[in-house]
Amino acid sequence: MTNHVSVDVTDGFHLVIDALKHNDIDTIFGLVGIPITDLARLAQAEGMRFIGFRHEQNAGNAAAIAGYMTQKPGICLTVSAPGFLNGLTALANATTNCFPMILISGSSEREIVDLQQGDYEEMDQLNAAKPYAKASYRINKAEDIGVGVARAIRAAVSGRPGGVYLDLPAQLLAQTIEAGHAKRSLIKVVDPVPRQLPAPDSVQRALALLKGAKKPLILLGKGAAYAQADDDIRALVERTGIPYLPMSMAKGLLPDTHPQSASAARSYVLAEADVVVLIGARLNWLLAHGKGKTWGKPKQFVQIDISPTEIDSNVAIAAPLIGDIGSCVAALLDGLDGAGIARPDAEWLGPIAERKEQNTAKMAALLNRDVAPMNFHTALRAIRDVLKQHPDINLVNEGANTLDYARSIVDQYQPRKRFDSGTWGIMGIGMGYAIGAAVVSGKPVVAIEGDSAFGFSGMELETICRYELPVTTIIFNNNGVYRGTDVNPTGGKDVAPTVFVKNARYDKMIEAFGGIGYHVTSPEELTRALSEAIAAGKPALINAVIDETAGTESGRLTNLNPQSNAKK
Ligand SMILES: Nc1ncnc2c1ncn2[C@@H]1O[C@H](COP(=O)(O)OP(=O)(O)O)[C@@H](O)[C@H]1O
Ligand SMILES: Cc1ncc(Cc2csc(CCOP(=O)(O)OP(=O)(O)O)c2C)c(N)n1
């Protein structure tokens, strides 16, 4: 007689889900297909949220912004080869911006890939990911799923956060494993983001530099926002009395209306400061690499960063503080009282106040002009005034002029509420970030989009409607990339490279999916539509007609356009 002993088994599909849930991950952003459709179904069946997108890049962007908002890696799930490649752009953007996310892609079997035998959607994904990911891992055995997921989580969030690739060959998911063994193989990541305290002498060096400063400036980057050390950062600014500048995604760490904000005198303080404290900000192209006329007189830098190799990347850093921002700022605060640092005097603060007053008055004149059609300024003044009533709204922003002007006109009042094109200046983050922010926060999102920028991810309007997310998309419709007035010099029938369909009605797009569409041509109409859409809390799109002559090519980046030397 045969003894049938029933063995309780599980499989790779279930073990991947168990490993994610074991580490308190509850949401996956992705797009189904062979070999991961059943993984998505199972995730949902096991109580996780699976948010299905129309393009993997947008799912990856949603995962990346979820990581930035929560300090836990956002998860993006794609099919192999083309789906993986679509997600790879978002993974690379996450790594560039120091956002923690994990791109999980199904893949072909090693034996087929390595012999290049032409599998369905065959690609050596692990090696393709390596140049753009902070770390890349492949799991070949079901018993290693617990380790692989744990390593991916730790790699994404520890040290300088970034994007991690996790490769799951199709066969792995179908592998079975004894249930008890499977359970024991799971790893709950312990202290994935350990505090990294700065060396005491580095703290003293920084305090000594500040003690000698006559014109100090604090510059807050999105690393400072990501660190979630909000109270200590505010205390450092307010206890020292030092003026500060927030980079775009650091806006709201202190309210933009804070008296020590020097944003309205940005050019003056960058050029005149003698000691600059960089907190989670890189001296990259966004800060003119720390040199040239933007920075005027020679100055000395204190730089707080978790990455030692960021120091001296562009210019010499006199006082590096290496560690996590929370620990570094806390250490500075602890040493402040004994450091003998005087608050800045009127010689520094006076001229800043004057320039703030002058520049604010100039801007007010632009914002309050009574012009038709609307331009970037008059539209953004209307949006600014509505959002002032809703300080907890998440704001997504991309475009050229739309990005540049919104960054300086629309105030932020709370940290980690503004999500934009970031370090790369990438277009296409709009709807992915909007969905990610809405899913993570449960709060309304307003996306201020150039019409070209919107086009990169516009199909996700259907995703927004499908999940009934409170996202209001405002399209600054000026009939083209930067502006809508270019012409084809040959007189031929093709429009110029930067021109779109004139007077397009993007508001009709969202109506196709059951959303609410508005078409507005004045700040008053824009105010009404935006207020109504926010109150409704449903998917909405406002097609804002903007003067097609108002834009500047490449916004504030015209200096980056190479000049053709070809004879005209
Ligand atoms: N928790 C943290 N502690 C210390 N540094 C951090 C932390 N998180 C991110 N960073 C650093 O913050 C910096 C962010 O710089 P960047 O993305 O250029 O900001 P911004 O574009 O706003 O100036 C990166 O160099 C990154 O290493
Ligand atoms: C992935 C990618 N592809 C192209 C580009 C280049 C670009 C930078 S800004 C921009 C759009 C500008 O037009 P838009 O209408 O959105 O903005 P506005 O001036 O406010 O009217 C493009 C195409 C970038 N940055 N990323």
Side-chain angles (χ1 to χ4, degrees), residues 224-560:
Y226 174 80
Q228 296 192 19
D230 308 341
D231 294 343
D232 276 0
I233 287 170
R234 181 161 190 162
L236 182 67
V237 170
E238 295 182 336
R239 280 179 55 187
T240 59
I242 295 174
Y244 75 93
L245 275 183
M247 298 299 285
S248 69
M249 285 181 63
K251 283 165 59 79
L253 262 172
L254 290 87
D256 279 333
T257 50
H258 193 285
Q260 288 175 247
S261 168
S263 293
R266 187 177 194 276
S267 302
Y268 177 75
V269 294
L270 287 177
E272 293 298 321
D274 57 2
V275 173
V276 178
V277 182
L278 299 167
I279 304 181
R282 287 172 284 194
L283 285 172
N284 55 22
W285 72 281
L286 289 164
L287 284 168
H289 301 284
K291 55 190 101 170
K293 64 179 173 44
T294 299
W295 290 91
K297 300 172 181 166
K299 47 209 71 196
Q300 292 186 293
F301 291 95
V302 176
Q303 184 159 15
I304 298 177
D305 207 292
I306 202 153
S307 170
T309 55
E310 185 54 38
I311 307 303
D312 300 336
S313 62
N314 285 267
V315 295
I317 302 298
L321 259 76
I322 303 306
D324 71 270
I325 285 168
S327 300
C328 290
V329 172
L332 287 174
L333 285 171
D334 288 346
L336 214 45
D337 290 344
I341 297 171
R343 292 175 74 86
D345 60 23
E347 191 179 336
W348 177 222
L349 301 183
I352 294 174
E354 282 167 27
R355 278 161 182 79
K356 280 177 69 174
E357 189 175 349
Q358 290 162 8
N359 292 337
T360 302
K362 278 185 209 162
M363 179 59 82
L366 290 172
L367 296 176
N368 296 307
R369 285 177 61 201
D370 183 8
V371 289
M374 253 188 311
N375 60 31
F376 292 99
H377 289 87
T378 58
L380 286 166
R381 194 267 309 144
I383 294 169
R384 177 199 67 182
D385 294 351
V386 171
L387 295 187
K388 188 172 183 176
Q389 311 310 316
H390 304 275
D392 62 346
I393 274 193
N394 298 290
L395 180 70
V396 173
N397 184 210
E398 61 177 345
N401 299 279
T402 306
L403 176 74
D404 291 340
Y405 289 126
R407 180 174 46 226
S408 56
I409 294 169
V410 181
D411 293 327
Q412 298 298 139
Y413 303 90
Q414 295 177 14
R416 294 172 297 284
K417 291 287 183 181
R418 179 187 161 90
F419 315 109
D420 61 31
S421 300
T423 301
W424 253 353
I426 189 172
M427 293 301 113
I429 51 88
M431 298 300 98
Y433 279 12
I435 293 166
V439 167
V440 164
S441 69
K443 291 202 177 291
V445 175
V446 170
I448 305 176
E449 298 276 306
D451 46 351
S452 165
F454 168 74
F456 287 78
S457 65
M459 191 59 211
E460 303 300 343
L461 284 178
E462 187 275 332
T463 308
I464 290 168
C465 291
R466 185 171 1 116
Y467 293 100
E468 300 179 359
L469 298 175
V471 174
T472 299
T473 301
I474 306 170
I475 295 179
F476 276 35
N477 186 354
N478 61 352
N479 296 329
V481 184
Y482 312 129
R483 52 195 302 153
T485 53
D486 282 6
V487 293
N488 176 346
T490 70
K493 70 177 181 59
D494 292 346
V495 295
T498 56
V499 168
F500 293 157
V501 166
K502 289 240 184 254
N503 308 318
R505 292 295 302 268
Y506 295 99
D507 48 308
K508 299 298 182 190
M509 274 180 74
I510 197 166
E511 291 172 1
F513 308 122
I516 308 163
Y518 299 86
H519 176 73
V520 301
T521 60
S522 71
E524 295 71 23
E525 289 175 359
L526 176 51
T527 300
R528 272 196 302 278
L530 182 54
S531 302
E532 190 178 299
I534 292 171
K538 295 190 181 312
L541 185 146
I542 302 172
N543 183 50
V545 178
I546 300 291
D547 177 356
E548 66 173 5
T549 68
T552 306
E553 174 131 351
S554 302
R556 283 180 34 194
L557 302 183
T558 47
N559 62 304
L560 296 182

Side-chain angles (χ1 to χ4, degrees), residues 85-163:
L85 283 176
N86 288 343
L88 189 59
T89 302
L91 179 65
N93 185 53
T95 304
T96 302
N97 281 281
C98 312
F99 297 163
M101 73 165 274
I102 302 172
L103 171 62
I104 301 177
S105 298
S107 64
S108 298
E109 312 317 331
R110 296 309 319 142
E111 58 272 22
I112 295 177
V113 173
D114 295 347
L115 281 174
Q116 297 169 31
Q117 292 182 315
D119 197 13
Y120 166 74
E121 293 194 344
E122 175 190 309
M123 180 179 215
D124 183 354
Q125 292 157 209
L126 185 68
N127 284 312
K130 282 178 180 172
Y132 310 107
K134 181 180 172 188
S136 299
Y137 305 109
R138 178 187 304 119
I139 304 173
N140 290 300
K141 295 185 292 183
E143 65 197 44
D144 292 338
I145 287 172
V147 167
V149 169
R151 290 201 73 186
I153 290 169
R154 189 178 292 278
V157 297
S158 60
R160 170 181 274 184

